[in-house]
Amino acid sequence: MNNFEFKNPTKIIFGKEAIKKLENEIPNDAKVLLLYGGGSIKKNGVYEQVKTALSNFNVVEFGGIPANPEYDTLIKALTLIKDEKITYLLAVGGGSVIDGTKFLSAAALFNGATPWDILTQKIRTEKGMPFGTVLTLPATGSEMNSGAVITRAETKEKLAMGGPGLFPEFSILDPQVIASIPRRQLANGLTDAFTHVLEQYMTYPVGALLQDRFAESILHTLLEVAPKVLKNPSNYQAAANFMWSCTMALNGLIQKGVPNDWAVHAMGHELTALFGIDHARTLAIIVPSHYKYNFEAKKEKLAQYAERVWQITEGSIDDKAYAAIEKTVNFFHELGIDTKLSDYTIDYQGTAEEIAKRFTDRGWLALGEHQDITPEKVEKIVKMAY
Ligand code: NZQ
Ligand code: ZN
């Protein structure tokens, strides 16, 4: 097992009617900016629950944060934070609203020339404006981690940021919010969380027995609840297990003491930036070709995954490893998620070269758990995903 340090300060408040507990978590004298997305919270009753819980607070609102939170929109919210002298941020939404709020938490206390520098210069936020979240869509784990991904449509960029100052102070997880999520977003959430586990697991063995079994247990749980959640998102037991699995998939726990990959996300983010494809779907496009291209480096863990998650016990390590990739692709297809770039766009020619060039320009020359995924390899992997 590798050395590690682990600290996660986010308080989780989980369960039915948990939104009522909001008022206990925010300082009484706070001036709160309530941030939300395109309006789903006004249709499903979450907005009313939040407003009721905040009835004794001084609250300003900012709605309209789009999926793949857009820099230009967030800059408008930043102006509001300064004009209104906001002291506390509350994100009510999915990963996009929470990530946008993390950017604002960092930008509100940032003294540099332009807040975009936080993303391009990879400035880690040690201290941000305090914020909490009410999660409405299980998927990203953003509710219990310190990372965010921000999009800039003008330049077709999508870049990550983070730092120890960007953990939410608290996150409220009421699985009842899942009842109103459209099927497409449920499938996205399942796929994103599943791939988060793979990014931290599908590397090479280091004898981290517990981390491997944590990871496998999350995969098992997601596979078990996926059909139930899709069939009936009001099934509370299934929804609760889905929600907690997504949070646990990316709150830092399973990645400690083990190698991490994250090359799938690096390539996937470019597909969203270039084509606007939903985040989770970009991962399903890249996963099969990434694992096939890096088969030799990953086959021991692929075979372990085959045995323990898919119960594939016959054949050689290579046979099992290959079968596991096929099973994963089938799972994505069963969710209704296509796994080829050409399923999403007819303009895919040149994409691999463009992504490789972007990585070269940014100095991203060595991705993956072995730090050996060069832009040349990225080009080949993306081409295999056409
Ligand atoms: O905007 P509204 O109207 O709220 O609608 C949203 C949005 O259209 C809707 N939705 C959310 N909760 C709902 C609901 N509809 C009905 N009922 C509900 N209860 O779902 C749509 C998608 O929401 P979004 O927040 O964009 O989805 P998700 O949670 O998948 O977040 C994706 C973003 O997170 C980033 C992605 O790159 C992408 O930008 N990620 C963040 C990570 C992190 N911070 O750790 C890690 C991930 O790998 C990912 O990169
Ligand atoms: Zn993801």
Side-chain angles (χ1 to χ4, degrees):
M1 195 189 304
N2 299 341
N3 296 351
F4 66 90
E5 294 181 11
F6 181 49
K7 178 177 180 183
N8 189 317
T10 302
K11 175 176 177 181
I12 295 294
I13 305 169
F14 190 100
K16 284 184 184 169
E17 314 306 330
I19 296 174
K20 285 187 183 143
K21 298 182 181 165
L22 197 48
E23 63 175 332
N24 306 330
E25 302 303 321
I26 300 177
N28 288 328
D29 59 351
K31 185 156 184 193
V32 181
L33 182 62
L34 190 173
L35 295 132
Y36 60 94
S40 69
I41 64 164
K42 295 209 167 160
K43 296 186 199 129
N44 60 13
V46 171
Y47 177 79
E48 281 76 24
Q49 291 181 60
V50 169
K51 288 291 275 188
T52 304
L54 291 181
S55 54
N56 294 325
F57 289 83
N58 189 352
V59 181
V60 178
E61 294 180 21
F62 185 91
I65 297 175
N68 306 310
E70 164 58 35
Y71 181 72
D72 285 350
T73 308
L74 296 170
I75 289 298
K76 290 181 191 141
L78 185 60
T79 306
L80 188 63
I81 289 171
K82 294 197 169 155
D83 290 351
E84 293 283 344
K85 299 192 169 41
I86 297 295
T87 63
Y88 203 98
L89 306 174
L90 178 66
V92 183
S96 295
V97 173
I98 299 175
D99 282 11
T101 301
K102 288 178 178 174
F103 168 77
L104 292 169
S105 162
L109 306 188
F110 181 64
N111 290 321
T114 153
W116 188 243
D117 289 348
I118 300 171
L119 291 132
T120 51
Q121 296 177 18
K122 291 204 163 286
I123 296 171
R124 276 167 66 78
T125 301
E126 299 295 332
K127 186 177 180 341
M129 182 174 281
F131 70 99
T133 88
V134 175
L135 180 67
T136 65
L137 174 55
T140 64
S142 189
E143 66 278 7
M144 200 180 176
N145 69 40
S146 60
V149 195
I150 304 300
T151 295
R152 196 164 186 180
E154 190 191 343
T155 52
K156 290 199 170 174
E157 284 172 286
K158 180 165 174 144
L159 297 173
M161 56 178 283
L166 293 182
F167 282 99
E169 289 199 329
F170 67 87
S171 283
I172 296 191
L173 277 57
D174 179 347
Q176 293 176 122
V177 299
I178 292 167
S180 66
I181 300 175
R183 187 188 163 92
R184 164 174 158 179
Q185 299 298 345
L186 293 170
N188 284 352
L190 290 159
T191 301
D192 195 20
F194 199 88
T195 311
H196 291 161
V197 178
L198 295 181
E199 295 268 38
Q200 302 161 89
Y201 171 89
M202 206 60 77
T203 58
Y204 55 91
V206 291
L209 303 184
L210 184 60
Q211 289 91 325
D212 278 2
R213 288 202 153 89
F214 277 151
E216 289 151 3
S217 66
I218 297 171
L219 297 173
H220 269 297
T221 309
L222 287 168
L223 290 171
E224 185 173 336
V225 299
K228 295 179 187 166
V229 168
L230 290 175
K231 188 166 169 228
N232 177 14
S234 301
N235 175 339
Y236 183 83
Q237 285 304 338
N241 284 293
F242 170 37
M243 195 170 226
W244 189 225
S245 295
C246 293
T247 303
M248 290 300 290
L250 195 49
N251 66 0
L253 180 68
I254 67 168
Q255 66 182 222
K256 296 299 165 190
V258 296
N260 278 240
D261 182 347
W262 295 110
V264 173
H265 271 70
M267 290 180 258
H269 286 161
E270 299 306 320
L271 296 180
T272 302
L274 290 167
F275 299 107
I277 302 168
D278 291 354
H279 168 66
R281 288 162 201 256
T282 68
L283 308 176
I285 293 167
I286 298 293
V287 158
S289 58
H290 183 59
Y291 292 168
K292 284 178 192 163
Y293 185 85
N294 295 293
F295 191 80
E296 284 303 315
K298 290 181 180 291
K299 69 183 184 186
E300 280 188 66
K301 286 303 279 287
L302 277 165
Q304 179 180 318
Y305 162 70
E307 282 178 20
R308 295 193 188 171
V309 177
W310 294 106
Q311 286 78 48
I312 299 166
T313 49
E314 302 289 308
S316 64
I317 286 188
D318 284 41
D319 293 340
K320 287 183 214 164
Y322 194 82
I325 299 174
E326 299 287 286
K327 286 278 190 190
T328 310
V329 171
N330 286 343
F331 172 56
F332 293 151
H333 288 165
E334 278 164 24
L335 295 174
I337 302 238
D338 290 323
T339 52
K340 288 282 174 195
L341 183 57
S342 52
D343 295 326
Y344 297 87
T345 174
I346 51 167
D347 294 324
Y348 56 84
Q349 292 297 348
T351 304
E353 291 85 349
E354 170 65 21
I355 294 177
K357 182 179 178 306
R358 286 176 166 213
F359 285 12
T360 305
D361 292 348
R362 288 186 206 138
W364 294 8
L365 306 178
L367 302 180
E369 68 272 17
H370 291 294
Q371 299 278 284
D372 65 349
I373 309 288
T374 58
E376 292 74 34
K377 292 183 182 174
V378 164
E379 188 176 321
K380 290 192 177 124
I381 293 164
V382 177
K383 264 196 189 139
M384 280 169 69
Y386 283 179

